Every structure is written in C-alpha cells, then in structure tokens.
Amino acid sequence: MKPLAISVLSIFGVLLAKGADRIHVEGITPRISMDSLETILLVMASSMLVIATFAVGSMVAAYASASNTASPRTLTLVIADDVSQHALSTFVGAFIFSIVGVIAVKENYLGIAGRFVLFLLALMVFGIVIFTFLRWVDRIARLGRLGQTIVKVEKATEQALEQRRKAPTLYGMPLNSLSASGQAVPAKRVGYLQRIDIAALQSLADNAQSRIAVAVLPGSLVAPGRVLAYVRGDYQARTDVDGELVAQAFVVGRERTYYTDPRYGLVVLSQIAARALSPAVNDPGTAIDIILTLLRLFALWGAPQNEDNHQNTKYDRVEVPELSVRDMLDDAFLAIERDGSGAVEVCIRLLKALSFLASMGNDTMREAAVHHARRLLAYAERGLALPEDMATLRELAGFMEDIEEQALR
C-alpha cells in the first residue's frame, strides 16, 4: 500500500508544480533548465532502483541469517522490522517520484515556476532518502544477527507476559474445578490456537443464559475431538448455545503467535539455546545469555504488581484458566537442561538462575524451580566427567533444597 500511496503523492507533486505555473511567479523563481532537471531525476531513478534492489538483497540475507543462527520461528519478528520496511518503501517511492517527474519534464508539462517547484521537491525527496539510508544501514548491520534476534524475541515475550499479568484470565472469570462439565465443544481442525474471542463467547453466553468454560489457551495444539470449551446453562435456562458459534470464537492457525501466547517466546528462546549447545555450533556463551534472558522474563512474571494494573472482570459468563508456571518453566528450561548438562558453566548459570526463582517468594515458582534443579542434577550425573564439577553443582543445589525446607516449615 505504501508504494501506491507514494505514486498518488508523486502525481500530486507534479500537479502542485503545475499549479505554480498558474500563479505567474516566473519573475521571482530561479530558472531551472529542462536538461538539468531531467538529469537529476534520471540519476535519482537509476540510483533508487539499485538501492532498492540492494535493500531487498540485504533483507533476504538478514532473514536467512536469523533462521540459520537462531531459529526459523524468529523469522516473523525479523520480517516485521519497521525500519527496514519503511526504508524499502522510501527507496521505491523515490524511484516512482523520479519516473513521474521525468515524464512531466519530457512532455514539457511544466513551465519555469513548475520546474523550480519540482526541483525543490526532488531535493526534499533526495534528503529524505539520504536520512533514511543512513538510518537503515545502521539497522541492517544488526538485523538478523543472533544478539539482535534474541532481543526481539525477548521484547515480544515480555509484552505478552505483561499483558497476561494484567489479565491472567483474559478479563474473564477464573476457572474452577467444576467447570469441566456440560456441553463439550470440540475443535474442527488441526492447528495451534492463536486467539480466543472472549467478547463473542460472552455474547453467546448472555443470549443463552449459560456459562462457558474455556478448556484450552492460546498456543495449545488442537485437533478434531479435542474439547475447546464446555457450555453449561444457568438454572432454568431456556436457550441452548450453538456449538458451531462457540467453536468459531477460537481462532486456529498453522503457527503459534508471540503476542497472544507468552509461552511461545519461552519455547523459541529455549530452542535458540539448544541450537547453540549442539555439537555443530558449540556456543555455550549464547546459552548462558539465554538463561539470563529467561531469568529476566520470569522475574517480570513473578514481580508484585499494583492493584490498578490488575484485570477487571469484563466477561462474567466466561471462565478461563490461568497460565501454569510449571509449564512455563518446562518450556524454558527442559531443552537447556538436556543439551547443556555436559557444560559445567551452563549448569552453574542455570542452577543460579533457578535459585533466584526459588527465592522470589512465589510458592508455585519455587516448587517448579526446585523440580528443574533436580532434573539438571540428574542430567549432569551422566554428562559431566569430573567429580569436582558435580560437587560444585550439588553445593548450589543444596542451597535450593534449604529454601524448599524453609518454605515447608
């Protein structure tokens, strides 16, 4: 859409230049020869075409680098880079403007004042191109690099976690133990649940005087036969809920998404660390960086929040389960525990991260962290060759066991 809008603006610019001829200001405007203006526009047209081609090639190389060095699941974040898309649109727009200007000059469409106005517009476009190019060069030098890709995944996951912290049940009611009853609504297709239209479910429940209990969260793998929700009527409810309409409120796609599925970002970060720990890459430093990134995200999740930032229930007829902290830690650390058990530096950093999580004061987080520390020790028993390394790990794990014992007293 941006190139189309720029095409319209280019035509408007030529018409604006033609309008300058009609106000008869030839005596106060400098004379710009047709040849000079044509040369400037032709140079701009040829150079913009080359730069646009170069931009496309650089972006494709950055996309390939992100897929090869990090994870193919990061490609959507890299492609969504606003600076690169804006730069490419600017280069293509400058090319379109110069072509439109050349046509106007070749056809003798402009007079003295019009040529001067078109000359000023060409200088303005040229200045925008230079500024955009300098800004884009700085971005493209980092786009697709492993460190920058990790930062993008962390930011996307942080946004998703922050949104879910504010609305643990997506502005619905908490799911209780008696909710898994009533009319079961199964999925109709295979894929990942990407989004739930809670407002639509609330409307259906209101009309039918019923309650809807959501059985799956965004990110869950669904298939025909898996229950998406349970519908149960209120006392003396007269209307049944159409299961087809309920199923339509659950958007299923081929891939998981970052911003509605906080666990997906944790999975992708874990996959990046697992790739770094593979024998082909052998980069434990990246795995350690990922552990620190995951620690920051879990610290954000477990931090206390103000009551003003907490959700207000908007949908009182829809019950939604909260995210499981145990599942979140599984997403983040299972692969790192398995693949990093042979690198003592990775094990030490992971145990320290787990000890921080265990001491945050969150009982569920503590239990999950202690569970993963025990798994790591079991893996390390097979992966580490030196008894001294295992002694170091047991000492760190002993601190976590002390935390667990104190919490149980």
Side-chain angles (χ1 to χ4, degrees):
M1 293 300 294
K2 287 184 179 180
L4 177 60
I6 292 172
S7 300
V8 175
L9 290 176
S10 300
I11 297 174
F12 177 77
V14 172
L15 295 176
L16 178 65
K18 182 63 177 179
D21 290 327
R22 296 177 180 175
I23 61 177
H24 305 292
V25 292
E26 293 86 351
I28 61 175
T29 57
R31 291 179 175 269
I32 305 296
S33 67
M34 298 284 256
D35 293 339
S36 298
L37 186 57
E38 181 182 346
T39 301
I40 292 173
L41 293 172
L42 286 175
V43 169
M44 183 181 295
S46 59
S47 59
M48 287 303 100
L49 186 60
V50 173
I51 292 177
T53 304
F54 169 72
V56 171
S58 299
M59 291 168 64
V60 170
Y63 300 157
S65 176
S67 296
N68 294 331
T69 61
S71 168
R73 264 64 64 186
T74 63
L75 189 58
T76 55
L77 293 177
V78 178
I79 290 177
D81 183 71
D82 293 336
V83 174
S84 296
Q85 292 184 0
H86 174 73
L88 182 59
S89 298
T90 301
F91 301 150
V92 173
F95 171 75
I96 294 172
F97 168 80
S98 58
I99 292 299
V100 173
V102 167
I103 294 174
V105 172
K106 283 285 189 179
E107 297 297 327
N108 293 320
Y109 182 67
L110 304 174
I112 295 175
R115 291 198 299 270
F116 178 68
V117 171
L118 187 60
F119 174 74
L120 293 179
L121 289 175
L123 291 181
M124 182 182 70
V125 171
F126 187 72
I128 293 174
V129 167
I130 293 298
F131 174 78
T132 302
F133 182 78
L134 293 176
R135 183 182 176 213
W136 173 74
V137 165
D138 177 68
R139 177 59 67 93
I140 200 65
R142 293 175 288 151
L143 186 66
R145 303 299 181 187
L146 181 58
Q148 185 69 13
T149 303
I150 293 174
V151 170
K152 284 181 175 293
V153 178
E154 180 182 2
K155 287 183 177 179
T157 308
E158 181 180 340
Q159 292 178 18
L161 287 172
E162 190 62 41
Q163 291 177 1
R164 189 58 64 86
R165 259 170 43 95
K166 294 179 180 178
T169 58
L170 304 178
Y171 299 103
M173 298 292 292
L175 188 71
N176 60 58
S177 58
L178 301 178
S179 298
S181 61
Q183 174 190 349
V185 179
K188 301 298 183 183
R189 52 180 296 194
V190 177
Y192 289 102
L193 181 61
Q194 296 179 336
R195 185 175 64 85
I196 305 174
D197 191 345
I198 305 293
L201 294 178
Q202 174 74 15
S203 177
L204 292 171
D206 278 335
N207 294 336
Q209 301 178 14
S210 301
R211 303 186 68 84
I212 299 177
V214 173
V216 291
L217 287 174
S220 301
L221 176 64
V222 299
R226 179 164 187 182
V227 177
L228 299 176
Y230 294 94
V231 182
R232 65 183 189 278
D234 289 344
Y235 180 68
Q236 292 182 345
R238 300 178 180 177
T239 308
D240 293 332
V241 177
D242 187 346
E244 292 290 339
L245 295 179
V246 173
Q248 290 176 11
F250 293 80
V251 180
V252 178
R254 292 179 176 271
E255 299 177 350
R256 299 173 71 172
T257 59
Y258 285 94
Y259 299 105
T260 60
D261 178 11
R263 291 177 56 187
Y264 185 46
L266 301 176
V267 171
V268 172
L269 288 170
S270 180
Q271 290 176 351
I272 295 173
R275 173 172 288 191
L277 290 170
S278 65
V281 179
N282 192 22
D283 181 17
T286 294
I288 291 173
D289 291 340
I290 293 292
I291 292 172
L292 295 179
T293 299
L294 292 169
L295 178 59
R296 283 194 296 268
L297 293 173
F298 282 115
L300 168 68
W301 178 260
Q305 58 178 332
N306 298 328
E307 290 295 330
D308 296 339
N309 294 332
H310 202 267
Q311 74 170 12
N312 295 318
T313 300
K314 298 180 181 178
Y315 311 109
D316 57 350
R317 288 186 173 273
V318 182
E319 300 176 8
V320 182
E322 297 186 16
L323 285 175
S324 167
V325 175
R326 179 69 170 267
D327 291 343
M328 293 169 64
L329 264 72
D330 287 348
D331 294 333
F333 296 126
L334 282 180
I336 302 177
E337 293 163 7
R338 179 194 65 227
D339 297 332
S341 59
V344 65
E345 65 272 28
V346 175
C347 294
I348 290 174
R349 191 58 55 91
L350 181 53
L351 274 176
K352 287 182 177 180
L354 291 172
S355 66
F356 287 136
L357 296 179
S359 60
M360 287 180 61
N362 185 308
D363 292 341
T364 307
M365 185 85 74
R366 185 195 68 252
E367 292 174 1
V370 171
H371 167 74
H372 280 276
R374 291 168 178 166
R375 285 181 56 89
L376 177 60
L377 285 178
Y379 274 120
E381 289 282 357
R382 299 181 179 183
L384 294 178
L386 294 179
E388 293 85 349
D389 292 340
M390 277 306 305
T392 302
L393 296 185
R394 290 194 183 95
E395 182 179 355
L396 289 173
F399 172 73
M400 296 188 64
E401 295 292 345
D402 293 340
I403 295 175
E404 178 74 359
E405 290 178 3
Q406 292 175 5
L408 295 176
R409 289 176 183 174

